[in-house]
Amino acid sequence: MNSFLVAFGLASIALCIGTFLRAKIPFLRNMLVPASVIAGILGMIFMNVAASCKLNIGTDAEMFGEIVNNLFTISFISICLTGAADDQESTPKNIFKGALGMGTIWCLLYALTPLVGMLIIGAIGGGFSMDTIYGSLIPFAFTQGPGQAAAYGTIYESFGWKNAAMVGVTFASIGFVVAFLVGVPAAKMGISRGIAKNCGKIDESILKGYLRKEEQTNYMVKDTTCNSNIETLSFHFALIGLCYIVAIGISKIMALLPGFLGTSMSGLMFMNGMFAAYIVRFIMKKLNLDFLIENTLQSKITGWTADYLVVGAFMAVSLSIVGKWLVPILVESAVITAITFVACFYFGRRIGGSNDFERTLGLYGTSTGTVPSGIALVRIIDPEFKTTTAVELGLMNIIMLLSTPVYLVLLAMASKTMSVTVAMGILAALTVVYMIILKLTKCWNKPSYSWKEKVGKL
Protein backbone atom coordinates (compact mmCIF):
# COMPACT_ATOMS: atom_id res chain seq x y z
CA MET A 1 0.00 0.00 0.00
CA ASN A 2 1.10 3.55 -0.68
CA SER A 3 1.39 5.28 2.71
CA PHE A 4 0.65 8.74 1.28
CA LEU A 5 -2.49 7.67 -0.59
CA VAL A 6 -3.79 5.75 2.42
CA ALA A 7 -3.23 8.83 4.60
CA PHE A 8 -4.98 11.01 2.03
CA GLY A 9 -7.86 8.53 1.88
CA LEU A 10 -8.26 8.38 5.67
CA ALA A 11 -8.22 12.17 5.90
CA SER A 12 -10.84 12.31 3.14
CA ILE A 13 -13.09 9.81 4.93
CA ALA A 14 -12.76 11.88 8.11
CA LEU A 15 -13.72 15.04 6.19
CA CYS A 16 -16.82 13.34 4.76
CA ILE A 17 -17.88 12.25 8.23
CA GLY A 18 -17.10 15.71 9.62
CA THR A 19 -19.27 17.35 6.94
CA PHE A 20 -22.15 15.00 7.75
CA LEU A 21 -21.87 15.55 11.52
CA ARG A 22 -21.72 19.35 11.09
CA ALA A 23 -24.98 19.23 9.13
CA LYS A 24 -26.81 16.89 11.53
CA ILE A 25 -25.69 17.84 15.06
CA PRO A 26 -27.22 21.12 16.34
CA PHE A 27 -24.37 21.85 18.78
CA LEU A 28 -21.77 21.66 16.01
CA ARG A 29 -23.92 23.84 13.74
CA ASN A 30 -24.52 26.52 16.34
CA MET A 31 -20.86 26.58 17.34
CA LEU A 32 -19.86 26.93 13.65
CA VAL A 33 -17.32 24.13 14.11
CA PRO A 34 -15.60 23.57 10.73
CA ALA A 35 -15.88 20.07 9.26
CA SER A 36 -12.08 19.94 9.17
CA VAL A 37 -11.88 20.36 12.94
CA ILE A 38 -14.50 17.65 13.55
CA ALA A 39 -12.68 15.41 11.09
CA GLY A 40 -9.33 16.15 12.70
CA ILE A 41 -10.49 15.20 16.19
CA LEU A 42 -12.09 11.99 14.89
CA GLY A 43 -8.95 11.21 12.89
CA MET A 44 -6.68 11.82 15.87
CA ILE A 45 -8.76 9.43 17.99
CA PHE A 46 -8.69 6.80 15.24
CA MET A 47 -4.93 7.07 14.70
CA ASN A 48 -4.13 6.77 18.39
CA VAL A 49 -6.54 3.88 18.96
CA ALA A 50 -5.03 2.08 15.95
CA ALA A 51 -1.53 2.72 17.30
CA SER A 52 -2.41 1.49 20.79
CA CYS A 53 -3.98 -1.67 19.31
CA LYS A 54 -0.96 -2.09 17.00
CA LEU A 55 -3.17 -2.22 13.90
CA ASN A 56 -1.49 -1.97 10.51
CA ILE A 57 -3.58 0.65 8.69
CA GLY A 58 -1.06 1.28 5.90
CA THR A 59 0.13 4.66 7.15
CA ASP A 60 1.19 6.41 10.35
CA ALA A 61 1.34 9.74 12.16
CA GLU A 62 4.74 10.47 10.61
CA MET A 63 3.25 10.44 7.11
CA PHE A 64 0.55 12.91 8.20
CA GLY A 65 3.34 15.10 9.55
CA GLU A 66 5.01 15.10 6.13
CA ILE A 67 1.70 15.90 4.44
CA VAL A 68 1.13 18.82 6.79
CA ASN A 69 4.60 20.24 6.19
CA ASN A 70 4.20 20.13 2.40
CA LEU A 71 0.62 21.38 2.35
CA PHE A 72 1.72 24.20 4.63
CA THR A 73 4.15 25.36 1.95
CA ILE A 74 1.61 24.88 -0.85
CA SER A 75 -1.03 26.87 1.04
CA PHE A 76 1.20 29.94 1.28
CA ILE A 77 2.29 29.61 -2.33
CA SER A 78 -1.40 29.62 -3.30
CA ILE A 79 -2.15 32.60 -1.06
CA CYS A 80 0.62 34.64 -2.66
CA LEU A 81 -0.36 33.66 -6.21
CA THR A 82 -3.82 35.07 -5.53
CA GLY A 83 -4.11 38.73 -6.45
CA ALA A 84 -4.64 41.00 -3.47
CA ALA A 85 -7.59 43.33 -3.24
CA ASP A 86 -6.79 46.78 -4.59
CA ASP A 87 -7.16 48.81 -1.41
CA GLN A 88 -4.94 50.62 1.08
CA GLU A 89 -5.09 47.78 3.60
CA SER A 90 -3.37 45.45 1.09
CA THR A 91 -0.20 47.54 0.78
CA PRO A 92 3.13 45.98 1.74
CA LYS A 93 3.40 48.50 4.58
CA ASN A 94 0.17 47.35 6.22
CA ILE A 95 0.95 43.67 5.61
CA PHE A 96 4.34 44.11 7.25
CA LYS A 97 2.80 45.96 10.17
CA GLY A 98 0.38 43.09 10.76
CA ALA A 99 3.18 40.54 10.55
CA LEU A 100 5.37 42.64 12.86
CA GLY A 101 2.61 43.10 15.43
CA MET A 102 1.51 39.46 15.48
CA GLY A 103 5.07 38.16 15.42
CA THR A 104 6.11 40.32 18.37
CA ILE A 105 3.03 39.31 20.39
CA TRP A 106 3.91 35.69 19.62
CA CYS A 107 7.46 36.30 20.90
CA LEU A 108 6.02 37.86 24.05
CA LEU A 109 3.99 34.71 24.68
CA TYR A 110 6.99 32.55 23.85
CA ALA A 111 8.87 34.20 26.72
CA LEU A 112 5.97 34.62 29.15
CA THR A 113 4.40 31.14 28.98
CA PRO A 114 7.47 29.15 30.10
CA LEU A 115 7.96 31.62 32.95
CA VAL A 116 4.38 31.14 34.15
CA GLY A 117 4.56 27.41 33.44
CA MET A 118 7.58 26.95 35.67
CA LEU A 119 5.97 28.99 38.43
CA ILE A 120 2.90 26.72 38.29
CA ILE A 121 4.82 23.44 38.25
CA GLY A 122 7.15 24.78 40.91
CA ALA A 123 4.11 25.43 43.11
CA ILE A 124 2.14 22.20 42.56
CA GLY A 125 4.48 19.81 40.80
CA GLY A 126 6.23 18.64 43.94
CA GLY A 127 3.17 16.68 45.05
CA PHE A 128 3.34 14.73 41.77
CA SER A 129 7.15 14.33 41.66
CA MET A 130 7.26 16.65 38.65
CA ASP A 131 10.28 18.94 38.35
CA THR A 132 9.87 22.67 37.65
CA ILE A 133 11.82 22.28 34.40
CA TYR A 134 8.94 20.41 32.74
CA GLY A 135 6.79 23.54 32.99
CA SER A 136 9.09 25.24 30.49
CA LEU A 137 8.09 22.83 27.70
CA ILE A 138 4.75 24.51 27.02
CA PRO A 139 5.95 27.23 24.58
CA PHE A 140 7.33 24.56 22.25
CA ALA A 141 3.87 22.94 22.25
CA PHE A 142 1.39 25.83 22.37
CA THR A 143 3.21 28.44 20.29
CA GLN A 144 4.98 26.00 17.96
CA GLY A 145 3.09 22.71 17.75
CA PRO A 146 3.61 18.95 18.16
CA GLY A 147 6.67 18.72 15.91
CA GLN A 148 8.68 21.28 17.85
CA ALA A 149 7.34 19.97 21.17
CA ALA A 150 8.64 16.49 20.36
CA ALA A 151 11.95 17.83 19.00
CA TYR A 152 12.77 20.07 21.94
CA GLY A 153 11.43 17.44 24.36
CA THR A 154 13.96 15.01 22.92
CA ILE A 155 16.72 17.56 23.47
CA TYR A 156 15.57 17.91 27.08
CA GLU A 157 15.74 14.12 27.40
CA SER A 158 19.33 14.16 26.17
CA PHE A 159 20.07 16.39 29.17
CA GLY A 160 18.53 13.81 31.49
CA TRP A 161 14.90 14.94 31.76
CA LYS A 162 12.96 11.70 31.26
CA ASN A 163 9.69 11.69 29.29
CA ALA A 164 10.13 15.35 28.33
CA ALA A 165 9.07 14.60 24.73
CA MET A 166 5.92 12.88 25.98
CA VAL A 167 5.09 15.88 28.18
CA GLY A 168 5.67 18.24 25.24
CA VAL A 169 3.41 16.27 22.89
CA THR A 170 0.72 16.12 25.57
CA PHE A 171 0.84 19.91 25.92
CA ALA A 172 0.61 20.19 22.11
CA SER A 173 -2.45 17.91 21.97
CA ILE A 174 -4.22 20.01 24.57
CA GLY A 175 -3.21 23.15 22.66
CA PHE A 176 -4.97 21.92 19.53
CA VAL A 177 -8.18 21.39 21.49
CA VAL A 178 -8.22 24.78 23.23
CA ALA A 179 -7.35 26.52 19.97
CA PHE A 180 -10.81 25.65 18.65
CA LEU A 181 -12.66 25.23 21.95
CA VAL A 182 -12.02 28.91 22.70
CA GLY A 183 -11.35 30.25 19.20
CA VAL A 184 -14.61 29.15 17.56
CA PRO A 185 -16.90 30.80 20.18
CA ALA A 186 -14.77 33.96 19.89
CA ALA A 187 -15.24 33.91 16.11
CA LYS A 188 -18.97 33.44 16.57
CA MET A 189 -19.13 36.39 18.96
CA GLY A 190 -17.24 38.54 16.46
CA ILE A 191 -19.74 37.62 13.77
CA SER A 192 -22.77 38.29 15.97
CA ARG A 193 -21.43 41.70 16.99
CA GLY A 194 -20.58 42.75 13.45
CA ILE A 195 -16.83 42.88 14.05
CA ALA A 196 -16.11 40.28 11.36
CA LYS A 197 -16.74 42.16 8.13
CA ASN A 198 -16.04 39.45 5.55
CA CYS A 199 -18.03 36.44 6.78
CA GLY A 200 -21.31 37.17 5.05
CA LYS A 201 -24.76 36.68 6.54
CA ILE A 202 -25.17 33.74 8.94
CA ASP A 203 -28.16 31.91 7.55
CA GLU A 204 -29.33 28.28 7.65
CA SER A 205 -26.98 27.29 4.83
CA ILE A 206 -23.95 28.62 6.70
CA LEU A 207 -25.05 26.88 9.90
CA LYS A 208 -25.54 23.45 8.32
CA GLY A 209 -22.42 23.86 6.19
CA TYR A 210 -23.68 22.99 2.71
CA LEU A 211 -25.91 24.37 -0.05
CA ARG A 212 -29.03 22.67 -1.36
CA LYS A 213 -29.46 22.45 -5.11
CA GLU A 214 -31.73 25.49 -5.28
CA GLU A 215 -29.22 27.49 -3.23
CA GLN A 216 -26.31 26.81 -5.54
CA THR A 217 -26.34 30.07 -7.46
CA ASN A 218 -22.68 31.09 -7.55
CA TYR A 219 -20.23 29.67 -10.06
CA MET A 220 -16.89 28.76 -8.56
CA VAL A 221 -14.55 29.68 -11.38
CA LYS A 222 -14.16 30.88 -14.96
CA ASP A 223 -11.79 29.23 -17.43
CA THR A 224 -8.53 31.03 -18.26
CA THR A 225 -7.19 28.28 -20.54
CA CYS A 226 -8.71 26.17 -23.30
CA ASN A 227 -9.65 22.80 -21.87
CA SER A 228 -8.63 21.09 -25.10
CA ASN A 229 -5.10 22.33 -24.37
CA ILE A 230 -4.81 22.26 -20.56
CA GLU A 231 -7.47 22.29 -17.87
CA THR A 232 -7.59 25.56 -15.93
CA LEU A 233 -7.23 23.68 -12.65
CA SER A 234 -4.21 21.79 -14.02
CA PHE A 235 -2.56 25.06 -15.03
CA HIS A 236 -3.00 26.52 -11.54
CA PHE A 237 -1.54 23.41 -9.91
CA ALA A 238 1.31 23.57 -12.43
CA LEU A 239 2.08 27.11 -11.23
CA ILE A 240 2.10 25.86 -7.64
CA GLY A 241 4.50 23.05 -8.60
CA LEU A 242 6.76 25.56 -10.37
CA CYS A 243 6.80 27.76 -7.26
CA TYR A 244 7.59 24.76 -5.07
CA ILE A 245 10.70 23.93 -7.11
CA VAL A 246 11.78 27.60 -7.07
CA ALA A 247 11.27 27.56 -3.29
CA ILE A 248 13.65 24.59 -3.00
CA GLY A 249 16.24 26.62 -4.91
CA ILE A 250 15.73 29.61 -2.61
CA SER A 251 16.14 27.34 0.42
CA LYS A 252 19.46 26.07 -0.92
CA ILE A 253 20.66 29.64 -1.43
CA MET A 254 19.53 30.59 2.09
CA ALA A 255 21.52 27.64 3.45
CA LEU A 256 24.71 29.41 2.32
CA LEU A 257 24.15 32.14 4.92
CA PRO A 258 26.48 31.79 7.91
CA GLY A 259 25.61 29.99 11.15
CA PHE A 260 22.17 29.91 12.70
CA LEU A 261 20.70 32.31 10.12
CA GLY A 262 21.39 29.95 7.23
CA THR A 263 19.98 26.94 9.05
CA SER A 264 16.83 28.80 10.08
CA MET A 265 16.08 30.52 6.78
CA SER A 266 16.69 27.41 4.66
CA GLY A 267 14.35 25.42 6.91
CA LEU A 268 11.47 27.89 6.52
CA MET A 269 10.26 26.22 3.32
CA PHE A 270 6.78 27.79 3.47
CA MET A 271 8.30 31.28 3.67
CA ASN A 272 10.60 30.55 0.73
CA GLY A 273 7.49 29.29 -1.07
CA MET A 274 5.91 32.68 -0.51
CA PHE A 275 8.97 34.40 -1.97
CA ALA A 276 8.84 32.06 -4.97
CA ALA A 277 5.15 32.78 -5.55
CA TYR A 278 5.73 36.54 -5.43
CA ILE A 279 8.58 36.16 -7.93
CA VAL A 280 6.49 34.03 -10.33
CA ARG A 281 3.50 36.35 -10.12
CA PHE A 282 5.74 39.42 -10.62
CA ILE A 283 7.30 37.89 -13.75
CA MET A 284 3.88 36.91 -15.10
CA LYS A 285 2.63 40.45 -14.55
CA LYS A 286 5.65 41.93 -16.34
CA LEU A 287 5.01 39.57 -19.27
CA ASN A 288 1.28 40.47 -19.21
CA LEU A 289 0.39 36.86 -18.40
CA ASP A 290 -1.14 37.39 -14.97
CA PHE A 291 -4.62 37.26 -16.53
CA LEU A 292 -4.16 33.48 -16.67
CA ILE A 293 -4.45 33.31 -12.86
CA GLU A 294 -8.07 33.05 -11.77
CA ASN A 295 -8.21 34.47 -8.25
CA THR A 296 -11.41 32.71 -7.22
CA LEU A 297 -10.01 29.32 -8.21
CA GLN A 298 -6.72 30.11 -6.51
CA SER A 299 -8.52 30.99 -3.27
CA LYS A 300 -10.45 27.70 -3.52
CA ILE A 301 -7.15 25.83 -3.79
CA THR A 302 -5.97 27.68 -0.68
CA GLY A 303 -9.16 26.61 1.09
CA TRP A 304 -8.59 23.01 0.01
CA THR A 305 -5.11 23.02 1.54
CA ALA A 306 -6.49 24.58 4.75
CA ASP A 307 -9.06 21.78 5.17
CA TYR A 308 -6.52 18.99 4.73
CA LEU A 309 -3.93 20.87 6.78
CA VAL A 310 -6.18 20.91 9.84
CA VAL A 311 -7.15 17.26 9.50
CA GLY A 312 -3.56 16.21 8.89
CA ALA A 313 -2.25 18.27 11.81
CA PHE A 314 -4.61 16.49 14.21
CA MET A 315 -3.88 13.06 12.77
CA ALA A 316 -0.13 13.69 13.04
CA VAL A 317 -0.40 13.94 16.83
CA SER A 318 0.49 10.78 18.75
CA LEU A 319 -1.06 11.08 22.19
CA SER A 320 1.30 9.98 24.95
CA ILE A 321 -0.19 11.00 28.26
CA VAL A 322 2.08 10.86 31.27
CA GLY A 323 -0.56 9.62 33.71
CA LYS A 324 1.03 10.56 37.01
CA TRP A 325 1.62 14.14 35.80
CA LEU A 326 -1.77 14.65 34.16
CA VAL A 327 -3.16 16.98 36.87
CA PRO A 328 -0.31 19.53 36.81
CA ILE A 329 -0.23 19.35 33.01
CA LEU A 330 -3.95 20.18 32.84
CA VAL A 331 -3.64 22.98 35.41
CA GLU A 332 -0.74 24.56 33.56
CA SER A 333 -2.54 24.20 30.21
CA ALA A 334 -5.67 25.91 31.59
CA VAL A 335 -3.72 28.86 32.99
CA ILE A 336 -1.61 29.27 29.85
CA THR A 337 -4.75 29.13 27.71
CA ALA A 338 -6.26 32.00 29.71
CA ILE A 339 -3.05 34.05 29.50
CA THR A 340 -2.76 33.42 25.77
CA PHE A 341 -6.37 34.44 25.19
CA VAL A 342 -6.00 37.67 27.17
CA ALA A 343 -2.71 38.60 25.49
CA CYS A 344 -3.97 37.90 21.96
CA PHE A 345 -7.29 39.65 22.39
CA TYR A 346 -5.75 42.63 24.20
CA PHE A 347 -2.81 43.29 21.92
CA GLY A 348 -4.39 41.90 18.73
CA ARG A 349 -7.02 44.61 18.45
CA ARG A 350 -4.38 47.27 19.04
CA ILE A 351 -2.08 46.49 16.09
CA GLY A 352 -3.95 48.97 13.90
CA GLY A 353 -5.94 47.96 10.83
CA SER A 354 -9.37 46.98 9.56
CA ASN A 355 -8.46 43.29 9.85
CA ASP A 356 -7.36 43.40 13.49
CA PHE A 357 -10.08 40.94 14.50
CA GLU A 358 -8.92 38.46 11.87
CA ARG A 359 -5.36 39.02 13.11
CA THR A 360 -6.43 38.45 16.72
CA LEU A 361 -8.18 35.18 15.94
CA GLY A 362 -5.37 33.91 13.70
CA LEU A 363 -2.79 34.83 16.33
CA TYR A 364 -4.70 33.01 19.07
CA GLY A 365 -5.01 29.86 16.94
CA THR A 366 -1.32 29.99 16.08
CA SER A 367 -0.31 30.61 19.72
CA THR A 368 -2.20 27.56 20.99
CA GLY A 369 -1.99 25.18 18.03
CA THR A 370 -0.10 25.81 14.80
CA VAL A 371 -0.31 28.30 11.94
CA PRO A 372 -2.86 26.00 10.18
CA SER A 373 -4.99 26.25 13.33
CA GLY A 374 -4.82 30.03 13.08
CA ILE A 375 -5.72 29.95 9.39
CA ALA A 376 -8.66 27.64 10.11
CA LEU A 377 -10.05 30.14 12.64
CA VAL A 378 -9.51 33.04 10.25
CA ARG A 379 -11.36 31.10 7.58
CA ILE A 380 -14.52 31.07 9.75
CA ILE A 381 -14.74 34.88 9.62
CA ASP A 382 -12.95 35.41 6.29
CA PRO A 383 -13.89 32.33 4.22
CA GLU A 384 -12.63 33.73 0.93
CA PHE A 385 -9.41 35.21 2.38
CA LYS A 386 -10.41 38.75 1.40
CA THR A 387 -8.08 40.20 4.03
CA THR A 388 -4.29 39.85 4.06
CA THR A 389 -4.32 38.07 7.43
CA ALA A 390 -3.28 34.65 6.09
CA VAL A 391 -0.26 36.19 4.34
CA GLU A 392 0.64 38.09 7.52
CA LEU A 393 0.49 34.84 9.51
CA GLY A 394 3.13 33.45 7.18
CA LEU A 395 5.36 36.52 7.16
CA MET A 396 5.28 36.82 10.94
CA ASN A 397 7.54 33.76 11.06
CA ILE A 398 10.38 36.10 10.09
CA ILE A 399 9.63 38.23 13.16
CA MET A 400 9.55 35.06 15.27
CA LEU A 401 13.34 34.91 14.87
CA LEU A 402 13.38 37.58 17.60
CA SER A 403 12.50 34.73 19.97
CA THR A 404 15.97 33.19 19.55
CA PRO A 405 17.17 34.35 23.02
CA VAL A 406 14.22 32.58 24.65
CA TYR A 407 14.95 29.05 23.50
CA LEU A 408 18.68 29.56 24.03
CA VAL A 409 17.90 30.40 27.66
CA LEU A 410 15.58 27.39 27.98
CA LEU A 411 18.13 25.00 26.52
CA ALA A 412 20.85 26.44 28.74
CA MET A 413 18.60 25.86 31.73
CA ALA A 414 17.68 22.33 30.62
CA SER A 415 21.37 21.50 30.20
CA LYS A 416 21.95 22.78 33.76
CA THR A 417 24.45 25.41 32.61
CA MET A 418 22.05 28.09 33.83
CA SER A 419 20.02 28.04 37.04
CA VAL A 420 16.23 28.06 37.00
CA THR A 421 16.17 31.36 38.92
CA VAL A 422 18.46 33.13 36.46
CA ALA A 423 16.51 31.72 33.49
CA MET A 424 13.21 32.94 34.92
CA GLY A 425 14.69 36.40 35.49
CA ILE A 426 15.87 36.60 31.87
CA LEU A 427 12.48 35.42 30.58
CA ALA A 428 10.74 38.13 32.60
CA ALA A 429 13.13 40.74 31.17
CA LEU A 430 12.56 39.49 27.61
CA THR A 431 8.79 39.72 28.11
CA VAL A 432 9.22 43.41 28.95
CA VAL A 433 11.53 43.90 25.96
CA TYR A 434 8.90 42.51 23.56
CA MET A 435 6.29 44.86 25.04
CA ILE A 436 8.65 47.78 24.46
CA ILE A 437 9.15 46.66 20.85
CA LEU A 438 5.36 46.68 20.35
CA LYS A 439 5.25 50.26 21.58
CA LEU A 440 8.27 51.49 19.62
CA THR A 441 7.02 49.95 16.36
CA LYS A 442 3.57 51.52 16.90
CA CYS A 443 1.88 48.12 17.02
CA TRP A 444 0.37 48.91 20.42
CA ASN A 445 -2.33 51.50 19.78
CA LYS A 446 -5.88 52.25 20.83
CA PRO A 447 -8.37 49.42 20.13
CA SER A 448 -9.50 49.27 16.49
CA TYR A 449 -12.84 47.64 17.38
CA SER A 450 -15.13 47.36 20.37
CA TRP A 451 -16.89 44.31 21.79
CA LYS A 452 -19.75 46.51 23.06
CA GLU A 453 -21.32 47.24 19.69
CA LYS A 454 -23.88 44.60 18.74
CA VAL A 455 -25.47 44.68 15.30
CA GLY A 456 -27.03 41.25 15.08
CA LYS A 457 -27.86 38.04 16.83
CA LEU A 458 -27.14 34.46 15.82
Side-chain angles (χ1 to χ4, degrees):
M1 289 186 291
N2 185 292
S3 181
F4 165 74
L5 290 178
V6 171
F8 177 77
L10 291 175
S12 300
I13 292 172
L15 277 169
C16 291
I17 295 173
T19 302
F20 175 79
L21 294 179
R22 164 64 183 269
K24 297 299 181 181
I25 300 178
F27 171 77
L28 298 177
R29 290 202 303 268
N30 294 330
M31 289 294 293
L32 300 179
V33 182
S36 58
V37 175
I38 303 170
I41 294 174
L42 293 175
M44 182 174 63
I45 294 172
F46 171 77
M47 291 297 294
N48 284 277
V49 169
S52 65
C53 295
K54 297 182 179 180
L55 297 177
N56 181 10
I57 58 174
T59 190
D60 54 24
E62 185 178 349
M63 173 53 68
F64 280 105
E66 292 183 18
I67 291 174
V68 168
N69 289 334
N70 284 287
L71 278 181
F72 192 31
T73 301
I74 291 173
S75 67
F76 281 103
I77 288 175
S78 184
I79 288 170
C80 296
L81 283 175
T82 306
D86 189 18
D87 58 52
Q88 61 179 3
E89 293 292 338
S90 298
T91 63
K93 180 179 179 180
N94 282 286
I95 292 174
F96 178 74
K97 183 177 183 181
L100 177 61
M102 289 192 293
T104 307
I105 297 167
W106 183 93
C107 289
L108 187 156
L109 287 167
Y110 197 60
L112 179 60
T113 54
L115 172 61
V116 175
M118 285 190 288
L119 288 172
I120 293 171
I121 301 303
I124 68 174
F128 300 87
S129 300
M130 187 177 188
D131 194 279
T132 301
I133 293 291
Y134 290 96
S136 68
L137 287 165
I138 202 160
F140 305 126
F142 268 47
T143 53
Q144 291 188 310
Q148 296 283 40
Y152 280 101
T154 301
I155 295 174
Y156 271 48
E157 289 181 356
S158 70
F159 296 137
W161 302 103
K162 294 181 179 180
N163 298 319
M166 295 173 68
V167 173
V169 172
T170 302
F171 276 132
S173 302
I174 296 171
F176 268 115
V177 174
V178 299
F180 295 101
L181 189 65
V182 177
V184 172
K188 184 179 178 182
M189 183 178 291
I191 294 171
S192 68
R193 293 181 181 274
I195 300 171
K197 307 296 183 183
N198 298 293
C199 62
K201 182 181 178 182
I202 302 299
D203 53 22
E204 184 62 26
S205 296
I206 298 297
L207 290 174
K208 66 180 182 285
Y210 68 92
L211 300 173
R212 292 191 175 90
K213 186 175 181 179
E214 61 273 14
E215 297 171 326
Q216 299 172 8
T217 57
N218 294 328
Y219 289 94
M220 189 174 77
V221 65
K222 65 177 183 288
D223 286 333
T224 61
T225 61
C226 294
N227 295 344
S228 59
N229 177 39
I230 182 172
E231 182 64 52
T232 298
L233 181 61
S234 301
F235 177 74
H236 282 69
F237 272 106
L239 286 178
I240 290 174
L242 168 63
C243 293
Y244 193 93
I245 297 300
V246 173
I248 292 175
I250 294 175
S251 292
K252 291 185 179 297
I253 293 173
M254 292 292 188
L256 300 176
L257 295 173
F260 170 79
L261 189 60
T263 303
S264 300
M265 297 298 287
S266 64
L268 296 175
M269 184 63 179
F270 70 93
M271 187 182 69
N272 296 330
M274 293 173 64
F275 294 152
Y278 279 129
I279 292 171
V280 169
R281 189 171 180 93
F282 174 79
I283 293 174
M284 290 183 69
K285 188 171 184 179
K286 287 298 182 181
L287 296 176
N288 294 318
L289 295 175
D290 56 318
F291 66 90
L292 291 173
I293 300 178
E294 214 289 307
N295 286 336
T296 301
L297 175 58
Q298 200 66 65
S299 68
K300 295 296 183 183
I301 293 174
T302 303
W304 171 79
T305 61
D307 283 331
Y308 277 89
L309 266 172
V310 173
V311 179
F314 271 100
M315 297 179 77
V317 175
S318 296
L319 297 175
S320 300
I321 304 297
V322 184
K324 64 179 182 179
W325 292 342
L326 184 57
V327 172
I329 285 174
L330 289 175
V331 171
E332 180 178 350
S333 297
V335 174
I336 296 302
T337 297
I339 289 174
T340 301
F341 177 84
V342 171
C344 291
F345 280 78
Y346 174 82
F347 289 108
R349 67 189 187 122
R350 288 172 167 80
I351 295 174
S354 63
N355 64 322
D356 270 358
F357 183 62
E358 287 82 358
R359 289 168 172 168
T360 298
L361 213 56
L363 177 62
Y364 172 77
T366 301
S367 299
T368 49
T370 57
V371 173
S373 306
I375 291 176
L377 290 178
V378 170
R379 196 177 176 204
I380 296 174
I381 57 175
D382 183 15
E384 298 182 8
F385 298 107
K386 292 181 179 179
T387 70
T388 58
T389 309
V391 173
E392 294 169 8
L393 282 171
L395 287 176
M396 84 177 195
N397 282 268
I398 300 175
I399 309 303
M400 288 177 181
L401 293 175
L402 294 174
S403 68
T404 301
V406 175
Y407 71 75
L408 291 178
V409 167
L410 294 178
L411 292 180
M413 180 186 64
S415 65
K416 302 177 184 179
T417 58
M418 179 183 292
S419 70
V420 173
T421 302
V422 172
M424 292 174 70
I426 296 176
L427 291 175
L430 286 171
T431 300
V432 175
V433 169
Y434 293 131
M435 294 175 70
I436 293 173
I437 292 175
L438 282 172
K439 204 67 178 177
L440 292 178
T441 55
K442 298 181 180 180
C443 292
W444 186 352
N445 307 291
K446 292 181 178 180
S448 57
Y449 61 86
S450 173
W451 288 102
K452 294 181 179 179
E453 181 183 2
K454 189 168 184 178
V455 298
K457 185 178 181 181
L458 284 180

